[in-house]
Amino acid sequence: MKDGMTGVIGILENGSGPVTAMRFDIDALGVVESNEELHRPTREGFASVNPGMMHACGHDCHAAAGLAVAKVMARLRDRWRGRLMLIFQPAEEGVRGAKAIVSKGVLDDVNHLYGHHVLSGRELGEVVAGMAGYAATEKLDLLFTGEPAHAGGSPEAGKNAMLAAAAAVQGLYAIPRHSGGATRINAGILNAGTGMNVILPLTHVCNGRVARRDRRALRIHVPVGTQSRQRCRRQCRTAGVEVLRKGSAPAGGSDPELAKAVEEVAKRLSGVWSASLQKIGGSEDFVHMIQRVRANEGRSTNIGIGARFKDGPKDGRDGLLCSRAHTEMFDVDERAMPLAVKLLCACAMKDCGCL
């Protein structure tokens, strides 16, 4: 993990057989976790200890599940054959980590690839055997440069980068929607300002995001490097703007054949009452991995594990509160984690004909 290299790949070699890979995303989000007593992690003492960062999407559950899979499969060495690769992937939220893993070539001989994600919006015991319908996405920084000046004494001498940035945010949201499919856009962070009487020379909007379905009309309609940049420049010509592409992921989804196999395995496990292939929406850099494995004639699926508290997303058991992913009170029913481990281990066993 030196120098910020936080990805980890563990490999279990166990004789001749198929190559199975599993991906566990491990990154957190820039969210300040709630300190309310009704927030279970706070009340039970496992809330984030890093200010301004928390696991608000369940990736800590994924990391724990990956470690449990390693432990179980190592104990069951006498019951399976082949190679099992456990990929603990960084930077999923920035849609950069999966592409970095792919570039290392570690997936080039994989026969079956599994991802999984706890779903706070699905009931405990519900399994989405294959999540599909992911939109293509791009994330970017917009860097605006202007000229400094005294706001009261010589405002005409300045070029206000803050004004340009503010106008650009409005302009990005004004990009028209398209009948060819759904699109999303978000300006996540705006850094600006040093003083009330200073015309700001430098600011930037970072974590801007564009998501679109992978249709030709939409690719033309909302390209990050063209229309977004042009829109920014039209909004305010007094400052320069540079677009820095920070991460991207293509559209795609799970392979139906492998999703069907997962569905069959899941329905044989106790605690599972529903399993199917479904369109989820959103975006996932796991699609980079899917495409690489598919190009080498392998199969991939991203599995959803229902983890909503019994009484719904806002009223958890014992009077606790929890809310949706990417919020300060996110929480999941951790009884979903043993189910995820059982399912992933069973899938690995099935891959080598040992189940």
Side-chain angles (χ1 to χ4, degrees):
M1 299 178 73
K2 183 180 179 182
D3 299 325
M5 306 298 287
T6 55
V8 178
I9 299 175
I11 299 174
L12 285 171
E13 298 276 6
N14 200 30
S16 178
V19 179
T20 296
M22 297 180 182
R23 176 267 211 159
F24 308 93
D25 44 3
I26 61 175
D27 53 331
L29 283 155
V31 175
V32 178
E33 187 156 11
S34 171
N35 60 4
E36 293 187 27
E37 280 294 302
L38 289 176
H39 182 49
R40 187 174 65 102
T42 296
R43 190 160 102 178
E44 298 183 12
F46 64 95
S48 174
V49 298
N50 298 298
M53 299 294 295
M54 70 171 286
H55 276 292
C57 199
H59 296 186
D60 48 345
C61 298
H62 304 164
L67 294 173
V69 168
K71 188 174 184 178
V72 171
M73 294 302 289
R75 287 180 174 177
L76 298 177
R77 278 184 181 273
D78 60 337
R79 296 179 55 183
W80 63 279
R81 291 289 179 267
R83 176 157 38 111
L84 178 62
M85 185 182 306
L86 305 177
I87 301 168
F88 295 86
Q89 182 210 302
E92 183 275 330
E93 297 292 357
V95 288
R96 298 186 304 274
K99 192 172 184 179
I101 297 293
V102 167
S103 70
K104 298 295 183 182
V106 298
L107 297 174
D108 290 353
D109 59 352
V110 168
N111 303 113
H112 299 103
L113 169 67
Y114 300 93
H116 90 287
H117 205 296
V118 290
L119 300 177
S120 60
R122 302 297 178 99
E123 300 296 335
L124 190 69
E126 182 178 0
V127 172
V128 181
M131 295 189 283
Y134 291 124
T137 184
E138 293 172 286
K139 292 190 176 184
L140 64 147
D141 279 359
L142 303 178
L143 180 64
F144 296 86
T145 55
E147 294 289 339
H150 191 295
S154 53
E156 73 284 355
K159 293 182 178 180
N160 197 323
M162 185 194 294
L163 176 61
V169 170
Q170 297 278 12
L172 288 171
Y173 281 97
I175 294 175
R177 303 302 94 192
H178 197 284
S179 62
T183 58
R184 304 285 189 273
I185 194 161
N186 183 57
I189 300 174
L190 176 61
N191 293 327
T194 59
M196 294 181 65
N197 63 342
V198 178
I199 289 180
L200 188 69
L202 178 66
T203 187
H204 68 277
V205 182
C206 62
N207 283 351
R209 178 179 180 183
V210 176
R212 60 182 185 275
R213 300 298 178 208
D214 195 17
R215 298 179 184 173
R216 185 174 183 274
L218 297 182
R219 289 201 303 270
I220 296 171
H221 180 61
V222 197
V224 168
T226 53
Q227 181 162 343
S228 298
R229 177 165 48 207
Q230 292 166 6
R231 175 77 58 161
C232 293
R233 285 176 172 165
R234 284 198 300 270
Q235 292 295 322
C236 186
R237 298 179 181 277
T238 61
V241 58
E242 181 182 2
V243 178
L244 306 175
R245 195 181 191 195
K246 306 299 289 187
S248 65
S254 301
D255 291 311
E257 303 91 339
L258 189 57
K260 185 64 177 177
V262 171
E263 181 179 347
E264 294 172 358
V265 171
K267 288 180 176 179
R268 295 164 60 182
L269 299 178
S270 62
V272 175
W273 57 269
S274 174
S276 61
L277 175 70
Q278 297 181 21
K279 287 188 176 181
I280 296 295
S283 303
E284 246 291 355
D285 73 345
F286 187 64
V287 177
H288 283 297
M289 294 185 171
I290 290 175
Q291 289 187 343
R292 175 56 64 92
V293 172
R294 187 179 291 158
N296 294 314
E297 301 184 351
R299 293 289 179 263
S300 309
T301 187
N302 201 19
I303 304 167
I305 307 292
R308 179 160 56 190
F309 281 101
K310 181 179 179 181
D311 296 327
K314 291 188 177 180
D315 299 305
R317 61 188 182 196
D318 300 326
L320 299 175
L321 297 179
C322 55
S323 57
R324 296 179 180 87
H326 291 216
T327 63
E328 74 282 358
M329 294 193 75
F330 173 78
D331 194 12
V332 298
D333 191 328
E334 292 174 7
R335 290 175 293 179
M337 295 166 63
L339 175 59
V341 174
K342 286 194 296 183
L343 178 56
L344 291 172
C345 290
C347 289
M349 300 286 279
K350 181 178 175 64
D351 288 346
C352 62
C354 301
L355 184 67

